[in-house]
Structure formats: C-alpha cells, structure tokens
Amino acid sequence: MTIKNKLRAGFSFLFMLSLLCCGLSIYFLNRLSADARNILKDNYKTVVFTKNIGVALDAADGPLNTAQTTLIEKNLTQQEHNITEPGERQLTDSLRARYEKLKKAQNDPAQITVLKGDMKRLLFGIMQLNLNAIDHKDTRAKGTADRAILLVAFTASFLFLVAFSFVVNFPSYIANPLRELTARIKEVSNRNYHQQLDFKSNDEFGELARAFNTMTLKLDEYENSNLASILFEKKRIETIINSMQDAIIGLDEKSVIIFANQVACSLIGLPEKSITGKYAPDVALENDLLRNLLINDQPKMKIYADNRESFYSKAVLSIVSKDKVIGSVIILKNITEFQQMDEAKTNFIATISHELKTPISSIKMSLKLLEDSRIGAVNTEQRQLLENIDEDARRLLQITAELLDMAQAETGKLNLHFGSTHPQNIVDYTIKALKTTAEQKHITINVKCAQNLPDVHADLDKSTWVLINLLSNAIKYSHEKSVVDLVVKKHHNDEVEFSVEDHGRGIDQQYLSRIFDRYFKVPGTTTDQTGTGLGLAIAKDFIEAQAGKIGVESELGEGSRFYFTLKMAGKN
C-alpha cells in the first residue's frame, strides 16, 4: 500500500470514529430531549390542569359561580385532550360525569359536598397517576443518560488512544527514513558512493530506497570509469594553458592560486610549484607584480620583462556556476607592439598637425592680403571664393589644433600652467571669443556668474578652451533667436561648476555614454553642425588633467546641459 493510501485509510478511520462518537452523542441527546419533552408536554400539563380544577372547587363551599365554572370547564376540556397514561381516560370521564352532576345540583348542598369530594378524589387519582409516570420517565431518562455517558466515554477513549498512537508513531514513520536518507546523501556529497538504503516496505519509501541504491551504484561506476578520462582532460587543458602566449593565473573563490602557466610564472619570477595552492595575498606580500595584479584595477600595466619595458592589458574573468562566483582568472596580454604602434601614430599625428599649421597660417595671411584693396580689386565671384577658402582654412587650422591637443593628451605631455584666477575671467574670454558667432544666429547668452565666487586653481588657457568649446557647441545646436544659459556656481565645498545649457533638439539617451569618446558624432546632425568628434574628448582630457570632472545631462527635445568643475584655489 502506498503512503498516500495509508494516510487516507488512517485519517478515514479517525474520521469514522469521530462520526461515530458524534452520532452516539446526538442520538442520546435526542433521547434525553424526547423524554424531557414528554414529561413537560404530557404529565406536567395534566398536573397543572388538575391543580387548577381543584383550586376552583375549593374556592367556595356552596354552588359554583360563573368564574369557577369557566375555569373548571377550560381545564377539564384541556385535560380531556391530554390523555397520556393507562387508566387516565376512565378517571377523566368519571370526573366529567361528576362535574356535569355538580352543575345540576345547585340547590342541594349535601349533594354538592358529596360531588365535590368525589371530584377531588378523582383529581387526586389523575394527579397521582401522572406523578408516577413522571417518576418513571425520569428514571428512564437517567438510565439513558448513564448509558450515553458510558458509550460516549468509551468511544472517545478509544478514539483518543488511536489518535495518540497515530501522533506518536506517524512522525517516526516519516522522519526516520528521511533522516537516514539525509545522512546517506551527505556521504554521497563527500564522494563516498558506497551507500545503500534498506527500507523494508512496498510504499514510496521502498521505491525511493531502490532508486537511491541504483543511483549510488551508477555514480560509483561512473566515478571509477571516468577518473582516467578526467585526469587526461585536466592534463590537456593544462597543456593548452601553458602553450598560450598570454599570462594566465587562476584563483578559486577563497583567492587560492589554482594554476599559473609558464608565461605568468616567468613574469612573476616564481616557479609554479611555489605558488600553486598558496593563498594569493600571502604570496603578494613578497611579490610586487602579483600585488599590483590583485589590488590595482588599471586595465593597462607596464612590466619590466625580458630586459625591457613591456606593456600588458589586464582582464579579470569571473567563473560563475549556478549564479555563484566560484573563482576568477587573471589574463595578461602582451600589447607592447600595439602600444608602440599607437605611440608612432600619435607622434605622426602630432608631427603632421604641427607641420600643417605653418602653411595653413600662410594661406590665411595670403587671403588677408588678397582682401586688401591695395593689392587689387576683386569681383563678387572672386570674393565669394576667397571667403570659402578662408572658411576651409579656418576649419583646417581648427582640426590641426585639435589633433595636436589630442596627441599631447594621449602621450601625457599636456603642458598645464596652473594659476589662481576668478571664474569671471574665464567667462569673459569665452563671451568675447564667441560674441560674433552668437550674434550671427541672433542667440542671447544669459550669463550668471556671481562676483563673490572664489578663485579657481586652473590653467586659464585650457579651461577657457573647454568653455569656448562647450558654448560653441551650444550655439551651433541652438535654434535662431534662442537663449543659451552660461551658469557659474559653487559646487560642494571645494569646487566651482561651469555649465552651458541650450534649448535645442537634445541628445538621445543611448548616445550620452559615448559623447566624450574620440571621433564620436551624434547621428542625425546636419553638415554645418558636424565636427571632427575630438572637441569633447579633448575637453575631457583637459578637465581631468586639472583634477576636475566633466559631464552632460540631456533630454531629447528639451536641450542639453554640459558642465565641468574646477578646484577652488587653496583646495587642491
């Protein structure tokens, strides 16, 4: 029998016993209620009727008056309809006959006295008969109550014993197999597969024991048959890792070094057997490179290896199993060749940018001379061509300047000249530089810069360049006859914030994270709005080189707000 059927049978048996106990209780309660109802309904009412008739007879010694007659007639009639005991009918009929004679003998006192005496004897007989019946029924009700108490007590006791036995034994019936199963599973988790369950039953526990025993046999068989192949795969993976040109170090969740390939051991300067199985922070105490690998989050590192300085990129990969990190792998990739190529590219751009500035400046000087009327008059078409050449030369000069600034930022050779200056000076230079550009689009620059602001510690030229770039972009992306807000205010306790806010088309949220990347341009801009994509990247380098921060806030259709912070003088 299954556990479900056993539980169903047990609970059904307890339910039937409960129903039996309740049924017996209801049956005997109904019996007692019926006996009490019979006593009250039949015998007690007769006693009341006879008492009322007797009271009416004793009310006067002479003939009956109207009130007495009415009372006797009413109670006698009710008694005639309440005959319940053997012999009560004869006594009641005799009472009726004596009463009828009494009504007719109103002028004979002697006969009235005799008839009243007969009626009283008859009333006493009826009353005695019903009192005896009440006593008999009371005795019978007591017997019923005693039997009910005995049977209900016996049934309840039996039910209690069965329920108590069920409560005591059933938990053990369920818990003991589960406890044994739990103990065996713990052994299996410790790779001890020689575990067997012996449940001598044909229910689900027996089926569970057979399934568990089959599982442990299969696990033991699998463990023995696959151990060699697992060792082979482990050896193959170690060979692959050791043959890789990148340095690879594996750690478990407790920062214990699991493996390190030959390249990693060569960089660290320690043999594999001296670091494998060791707690990484302990090894790092005596090894600077490993300490930097564990502590520093820099993606690019300079390492002295093979008698020269080499550049490596660091990547840390987390090993996750079932949403839990069980280890990590540190990978060092040699990027020295790419670094050298990048430096060559940067030097080339810097050189070309620097060399281009001279001929472009010469072109602009020649354009100025051509525009001078002393050189000669030019017609309208020629003047238009000269203006186009001047605009193109201006753009080329701006591009070369940005490329040169970018090259300096990439090589870390920014020449910063720090000094203490009031924010108003930076604002004034910016407004002066872009006044004509703003007037051409009929744009109003709303400046808010309090005179009581503290001085900032910054490179005046670089900071002004950044603010000019932000304000120039705001003018470029604003509609004609609109307003651009330039606000300077204190930020926190040690910084001053410069912000430029326009009310143009704004920037989509998906592009905000890339807005300061080199060469990035927001899609959808018009030809006259596009630039090199270097201005904001260079601005970011200039501000961060001065220990400041730069950022953007924008909503599509609402405009954009670019801001940067500079340290207050004396707070750096």
Side-chain angles (χ1 to χ4, degrees):
M1 183 183 293
T2 64
I3 295 177
K4 181 190 293 184
N5 290 333
K6 288 180 180 179
L7 291 174
R8 186 177 295 160
F11 284 116
S12 298
F13 181 65
L14 291 176
F15 181 70
M16 292 300 296
L17 287 179
S18 301
L19 287 180
L20 177 61
C21 184
C22 293
L24 288 174
S25 301
I26 293 172
Y27 171 74
F28 284 110
L29 286 174
N30 286 331
R31 286 281 304 275
L32 290 173
S33 176
D35 291 343
R37 187 168 56 252
N38 290 334
I39 293 173
L40 294 174
K41 178 180 178 182
D42 302 331
N43 304 112
Y44 179 73
K45 289 182 178 180
T46 297
V47 172
V48 173
F49 297 153
T50 56
K51 181 177 90 57
N52 291 338
I53 295 173
V55 171
L57 291 174
D58 292 336
D61 293 335
L64 299 175
N65 55 30
T66 303
Q68 293 172 331
T69 302
T70 302
L71 181 60
I72 292 173
E73 182 66 35
K74 177 183 177 182
N75 284 275
L76 183 56
T77 301
Q78 290 177 336
Q79 170 57 26
E80 288 174 342
H81 291 87
N82 191 42
I83 304 300
T84 59
E85 303 299 330
E88 189 176 359
R89 170 62 64 184
Q90 292 83 357
L91 293 175
T92 303
D93 291 343
S94 297
L95 183 62
R96 167 62 73 175
R98 297 293 190 281
Y99 174 65
E100 293 298 331
K101 290 180 180 181
L102 180 61
K103 289 193 297 182
K104 296 176 181 179
Q106 293 296 324
N107 298 323
D108 189 351
Q111 189 177 7
I112 290 173
T113 302
V114 173
L115 290 173
K116 284 185 176 182
D118 291 340
M119 288 181 69
K120 289 180 179 180
R121 285 192 297 275
L122 290 172
L123 289 172
F124 179 77
I126 294 172
M127 185 180 294
Q128 188 64 41
L129 185 65
N130 280 275
L131 289 174
N132 291 336
I134 289 173
D135 184 63
H136 174 70
K137 290 179 180 179
D138 180 65
T139 302
R140 186 173 59 188
K142 288 182 179 179
T144 301
D146 292 338
R147 289 195 300 277
I149 292 172
L150 182 62
L151 286 174
V152 172
F154 175 77
T155 305
S157 299
F158 181 70
L159 178 62
F160 172 77
L161 291 176
V162 172
F164 181 77
S165 176
F166 185 81
V167 170
V168 171
N169 295 318
F170 180 72
S172 299
Y173 176 77
I174 298 295
N176 290 341
L178 293 178
R179 187 181 300 111
E180 186 174 354
L181 176 63
T182 302
R184 296 290 184 270
I185 290 175
K186 289 181 179 179
E187 291 295 328
V188 170
S189 66
N190 293 326
R191 307 179 70 85
N192 182 11
Y193 301 130
H194 301 287
Q195 303 295 318
Q196 295 289 298
L197 291 175
D198 187 18
F199 296 156
K200 300 183 183 300
S201 60
N202 294 323
D203 53 18
E204 286 86 349
F205 283 129
E207 184 178 353
L208 176 64
R210 291 188 290 273
F212 180 84
N213 295 338
T214 302
M215 180 193 71
T216 54
L217 290 175
K218 292 293 184 182
L219 286 173
D220 186 58
E221 179 182 350
Y222 180 81
E223 176 77 6
N224 293 328
S225 62
N226 288 279
L227 183 59
S229 61
I230 292 173
L231 292 175
F232 172 76
E233 291 296 330
K234 179 176 179 293
K235 186 66 176 178
R236 183 168 66 174
I237 292 173
E238 290 177 347
T239 303
I240 293 173
I241 292 175
N242 282 323
S243 63
M244 296 182 68
Q245 299 300 317
D246 300 331
I248 302 176
I249 302 173
L251 307 173
D252 64 8
E253 70 276 11
K254 297 180 180 179
S255 297
V256 175
I257 299 176
I258 304 174
F259 62 85
N261 66 354
Q262 295 177 356
V263 178
C265 293
S266 176
L267 289 177
I268 295 174
L270 295 173
E272 181 182 3
K273 62 181 180 179
S274 65
I275 60 175
T276 303
K278 299 293 182 62
Y279 185 52
D282 290 342
V283 180
L285 292 175
E286 300 178 358
N287 190 280
D288 294 337
L289 176 58
L290 185 58
R291 183 165 59 252
N292 289 331
L293 291 176
L294 296 177
I295 297 176
N296 294 335
D297 295 329
Q298 297 177 353
K300 186 184 294 185
M301 302 181 66
K302 183 187 293 186
I303 300 174
Y304 188 82
D306 298 330
N307 297 322
R308 65 189 182 96
E309 285 186 345
S310 301
F311 293 90
Y312 288 82
S313 65
K314 186 183 81 169
V316 180
L317 306 178
S318 297
I319 303 174
V320 181
S321 176
K322 296 180 180 180
D323 299 329
K324 181 181 179 182
V325 178
I326 61 173
S328 60
V329 177
I330 301 175
I331 302 176
L332 288 177
K333 187 177 184 64
N334 193 331
I335 58 170
T336 304
E337 181 180 354
F338 302 103
Q339 182 69 22
Q340 292 173 346
M341 294 173 62
D342 186 64
E343 290 179 356
K345 178 263 299 181
T346 302
N347 292 331
F348 174 76
I349 291 175
T351 302
I352 292 298
S353 300
H354 186 271
E355 294 297 328
L356 285 175
K357 289 181 70 175
T358 300
I360 293 173
S361 298
S362 298
I363 293 173
K364 289 183 68 66
M365 180 61 69
S366 299
L367 288 172
K368 289 291 184 183
L369 294 175
L370 287 174
E371 291 175 353
D372 195 336
S373 59
R374 293 175 295 179
I375 301 299
V378 293
N379 57 33
T380 304
E381 290 78 6
Q382 291 172 337
R383 184 169 298 280
Q384 183 63 44
L385 290 174
L386 291 175
E387 289 178 357
N388 293 340
I389 295 172
D390 183 63
E391 178 63 22
D392 291 339
R394 184 192 63 79
R395 291 185 59 198
L396 281 173
L397 192 61
Q398 180 182 354
I399 291 172
T400 55
E402 289 180 349
L403 288 172
L404 187 59
D405 289 334
M406 183 198 68
Q408 291 178 354
E410 286 184 347
T411 57
K413 298 177 180 179
L414 284 176
N415 296 320
L416 297 177
H417 303 284
F418 284 100
S420 178
T421 184
H422 193 275
Q424 186 67 50
N425 297 329
I426 301 175
V427 173
D428 290 341
Y429 286 135
T430 302
I431 298 298
K432 183 178 179 181
L434 296 174
K435 181 179 180 181
T436 303
T437 306
E439 289 176 350
Q440 289 174 352
K441 292 187 69 174
H442 305 287
I443 291 176
T444 302
I445 302 175
N446 186 14
V447 180
K448 294 182 180 178
C449 180
Q451 292 297 326
N452 59 354
L453 287 173
D455 290 350
V456 294
H457 179 76
D459 184 310
L460 180 60
D461 292 336
K462 296 293 190 296
S463 301
T464 303
W465 187 95
V466 173
L467 190 57
I468 289 174
N469 184 271
L470 298 183
L471 186 57
S472 174
N473 288 341
I475 294 173
K476 184 188 302 182
Y477 290 99
S478 293
H479 306 295
E480 289 191 2
K481 299 181 181 180
S482 61
V483 177
V484 174
D485 296 320
L486 196 164
V487 180
V488 184
K489 61 182 180 180
K490 289 184 65 175
H491 185 70
H492 298 310
N493 295 325
D494 59 347
E495 293 178 330
V496 174
E497 180 187 83
F498 296 77
S499 66
V500 176
E501 183 175 4
D502 64 67
H503 303 282
R505 64 189 297 269
I507 304 171
D508 199 327
Q509 293 292 322
Q510 62 179 321
Y511 303 126
L512 290 181
S513 60
R514 301 177 57 195
I515 200 68
F516 292 102
D517 292 348
R518 287 180 172 83
Y519 306 109
F520 176 76
K521 301 177 184 179
V522 177
T525 54
T526 60
T527 304
D528 60 337
Q529 292 176 336
T530 56
T532 61
L534 294 173
L536 291 177
I538 296 170
K540 183 173 183 290
D541 290 333
F542 283 174
I543 295 302
E544 290 182 349
Q546 299 178 75
K549 299 176 183 177
I550 190 169
V552 60
E553 298 170 353
S554 183
E555 290 289 340
L556 200 60
E558 299 292 332
S560 304
R561 176 180 175 269
F562 285 83
Y563 61 90
F564 65 89
T565 61
L566 295 175
K567 294 291 184 180
M568 294 181 188
K571 299 291 185 178
N572 54 316

